[in-house]
């Protein structure tokens, strides 16, 4: 099932399907968010933005606007 990263529950492992075209796409790819990469959401800030995600063996912080560009599959 395809969905956006912002809709994934805490700690559920998912794989990146694609990054939606936008001016932020090159930045997300440079951060290691490439197709097939496994990730999971670790934390959300008190008002939900930003979120911390585990990507491989490191942790990234993403704004919700950035997370809305990441299509994932279970």
């Amino acid at each position: 099932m395809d969905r956006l990263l912002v809709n994934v529950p805490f700690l559920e492992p998912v794989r990146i399907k694609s990054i939606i075209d936008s001016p932020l796409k090159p930045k997300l790819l440079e951060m290691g968010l490439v197709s097939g990469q496994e990730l999971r959401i670790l934390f959300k800030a008190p008002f939900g933005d930003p979120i911390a995600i585990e990507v491989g063996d490191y942790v990234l912080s993403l704004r919700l606007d950035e997370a809305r560009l990441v299509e994932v599959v279970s």
Side-chain angles (χ1 to χ4, degrees), residues 17-34:
K17 178 183 176 195
S18 65
I19 305 293
I20 297 172
D21 285 333
S22 86
L24 293 173
K25 184 175 181 176
K27 174 187 170 188
L28 296 174
L29 293 172
E30 288 175 359
M31 293 168 66
L33 300 179
V34 296

Side-chain angles (χ1 to χ4, degrees), residues 16-59:
I16 297 173
K17 178 183 176 195
S18 65
I19 305 293
I20 297 172
D21 285 333
S22 86
L24 293 173
K25 184 175 181 176
K27 174 187 170 188
L28 296 174
L29 293 172
E30 288 175 359
M31 293 168 66
L33 300 179
V34 296
S35 180
Q37 178 68 51
E38 263 193 43
L39 56 85
R40 61 187 177 140
I41 295 176
L42 298 177
F43 309 105
K44 289 185 179 180
F47 293 105
D49 191 13
I51 61 173
I53 61 171
E54 181 181 60
V55 182
D57 60 351
Y58 58 95
V59 176

Side-chain angles (χ1 to χ4, degrees), residues 2-3 7 12 24-25 33 35 51 54 62-63 67 69:
D2 297 352
R3 55 193 166 157
N7 300 324
E12 179 181 326
L24 293 173
K25 184 175 181 176
L33 300 179
S35 180
I51 61 173
E54 181 181 60
L62 290 181
R63 296 271 178 208
L69 300 174

